[in-house]
Amino acid sequence: MLLNLNIIDLAVVKSLDLDLEKGMSVLTGETGAGKSILLTALGLALGDRADSGYVRPEAKRAEINLEFDLADAPEAQRWLKENDLDDDHHCLIRRIVNQDGRSKAYINNRPVTLQTLQALSEKLVEIHGQHAHLTLLNSDEQRRLLDAYAKDQPLLDQVNACYRQWQQANKELEALIKAGKDKTEREELLRYQIEELQQLDLQNFNYASLSEEHGKLANLGQILAVGQSQVDILYENDEQSVSQMLGHSLNEITHIARFAPELNEICSLLSEAQIQAEEAAQQLRRFLESQEADPQRMDILENQIAVIQNLSRKHHVKPDELPELAENLEQELDGLTHSSERIEALKISTAKLLEQYDQLAAQLSEQRKQGSKNLARQISAMIKELGMPQGEFLVDVTALDLEAPKLNGKDKIEFLVSANPGLPAKPLAKVASGGELSRISLAIQVTTSSDKTTPTMIFDEVDTGIGGGIAEIVGQKLRSLSQNRQVMCVTHLPQVASQAHTHLYVEKNNKADITSSNVRILNDEERVQEIARMLGGVNITANTLAHAKEMLFQSTASH
């Protein structure tokens, strides 16, 4: 469960350190007080996309810290161990958002990617937003909810793994069959291209070496002229060579070194320089003597380079990539030569995978049908309690007529509802009004959450559109969910707030130059005042206070 929420410089929150308890906690406050920023903070800490607008004005960065006790989260413990991020039975999550919008995430003080943080968050917290009833109209969401309720995930994973194997094999098979239609022409083209490339002596191919040799021969005249002039300058110029000048300097400094012994090291350096200059001149002379023009070799190199560049342009690759191209073409030719064998093997493989997929999909369909009956029965019972006494909820699982396998099985799953007796059940979007849809959505969320292992659940104004006695039942249902997990609920309804074990109040402070919000836990007396405010608005009378006390007393007495 979530033990502590710490926020620094996030939007309207300058600093907040909030300890949280087990059971059901409600979060209330006047409109605009900043209730939503707490959910924003939780979302950011759990991996939502960051934005520079979240940083409090004049602050350098925003920071959110979450502390979890993992005693009731075995899946999270296992995940942390598998990813070498475990730290006993506690987990610290930290998210920092900078002014430029960049962010950093940490798990147990170790930096992690956003994807890693999101993977862990799914095992710790489940958030039901105030627009969950709109998401509910999506067919994929309806399938996901049924599969989660019926615990179909292991079988669904097998179905999807089989589908992906079939898809890959079938894609290769179709490509080979299509290629086989003009196989002969392609084989002839490949053989011609390979023979054309093989004239390059690919075993000993080195374009860089050829280019270097060509450049040398093409510039041999300049090499010989400049080289000979440098030999003269270094050693052979009788009047003023580098060697003679160094020798003269050496003699002069050796003479004065008799009076200044510290110049001896300079003499040594000059002596070495003279020797090096003479050695360089001799090596340069030997190099020049070994060079000779070779017009025939030059012609051969120019022809080779011309062929290489033509093939490079023809195949749209760099010259030094031609050997790799030849290897790829040979592999393709080999594949075409043996494609008949591969086609037969793929036909057998795809047939087996298709049979396996059909068997797994059939098992999944049966599991879904069983789960759909139980889910429909439980939701029907709950929507009756939530003010739809004649309502009936159905989960329709229909087999699709498919020519090929598809992801997530072969079923079309649709949530249907009949609000009045005698009328046929129709899809949610066509039957339910806004208020009815909110109640049905809440019934589905509560029902599908009862068997989940997520230790902390957050409901953000999911009770919108209801009131009166129905709101009290909603509060009771949320409280019942908190028997074996932590439940947090943002609400405007006193009937829901009165059911909570802990009441958190969000208040706005306008005294400073920058508006800020704070959250505190209400004591019994303050709680009566807040429930009365939610009941009576601006003018709170003695009757309103008495009603608030009665609501709190009844919620405590009934549990």
Side-chain angles (χ1 to χ4, degrees), residues 13-173:
V13 178
K14 180 173 178 59
S15 178
L16 173 66
D17 190 73
L18 187 63
D19 291 325
L20 298 164
E21 302 291 336
K22 289 182 179 180
M24 177 181 173
S25 298
V26 291
L27 193 68
T28 69
E30 295 185 7
T31 302
K35 298 186 292 299
S36 61
I37 198 61
L38 289 186
L39 295 177
T40 298
L42 283 167
L44 281 172
L46 297 171
D48 284 353
R49 187 177 296 276
D51 187 286
S52 59
Y54 288 132
V55 181
R56 184 174 167 80
E58 300 180 5
K60 292 183 178 180
R61 64 182 189 179
E63 182 176 330
I64 309 106
N65 295 279
L66 304 181
E67 180 184 358
F68 289 91
D69 181 352
L70 301 181
D72 54 358
E75 289 188 15
Q77 288 185 47
R78 185 162 50 250
W79 185 92
L80 287 166
K81 287 181 181 178
E82 290 172 355
N83 290 274
D84 296 323
L85 292 167
D86 55 310
D87 184 11
D88 201 11
H89 290 301
H90 276 70
C91 177
L92 298 176
I93 290 178
R94 184 184 182 202
R95 185 87 184 273
I96 296 172
V97 181
N98 294 313
Q99 279 184 328
D100 57 6
R102 290 184 296 177
S103 70
K104 295 179 181 179
Y106 301 85
I107 296 175
N108 286 331
N109 297 318
R110 279 164 276 188
V112 295
T113 64
L114 207 56
Q115 290 78 9
T116 301
L117 177 59
Q118 290 166 349
L120 172 63
S121 299
E122 292 174 356
K123 305 178 189 311
L124 292 171
V125 179
E126 184 176 317
I127 298 178
H128 296 268
Q130 55 184 300
H131 302 298
H133 61 286
L134 299 178
T135 308
L136 187 61
L137 301 178
N138 183 280
S139 58
D140 283 339
E141 177 66 9
Q142 293 178 10
R143 178 202 58 76
R144 188 192 66 78
L145 285 168
L146 173 59
D147 283 334
Y149 174 82
K151 297 181 172 57
D152 293 334
Q153 197 60 49
L155 185 53
L156 182 62
D157 289 342
Q158 292 182 55
V159 168
N160 287 340
C162 186
Y163 163 76
R164 292 187 180 94
Q165 290 174 351
W166 173 88
Q167 184 186 45
Q168 184 177 355
N170 190 63
K171 185 178 180 181
E172 183 183 352
L173 176 61

Side-chain angles (χ1 to χ4, degrees), residues 330-345:
E330 287 172 353
Q331 289 177 356
E332 184 182 350
L333 178 61
D334 183 67
L336 284 175
T337 305
H338 298 92
S339 63
S340 298
E341 299 171 12
R342 180 60 179 160
I343 286 172
E344 288 306 312

Side-chain angles (χ1 to χ4, degrees), residues 362-423:
Q363 293 177 36
L364 180 60
S365 294
E366 188 58 34
Q367 227 168 268
R368 282 171 170 168
K369 288 174 182 176
Q370 293 298 323
S372 68
K373 294 175 184 177
N374 295 330
L375 180 61
R377 185 170 59 251
Q378 290 187 34
I379 293 176
S380 292
M382 191 168 293
I383 63 175
K384 286 180 170 64
E385 292 184 60
L386 295 177
M388 297 176 64
Q390 307 298 326
E392 288 293 334
F393 184 86
L394 297 173
V395 181
D396 185 43
V397 181
T398 307
L400 294 171
D401 185 15
L402 300 175
E403 294 182 0
K406 65 182 285 287
L407 206 61
N408 299 320
K410 302 168 69 173
D411 302 312
K412 177 186 177 184
I413 295 162
E414 192 169 30
F415 288 178
L416 309 172
V417 68
S418 173
N420 297 295
L423 295 178

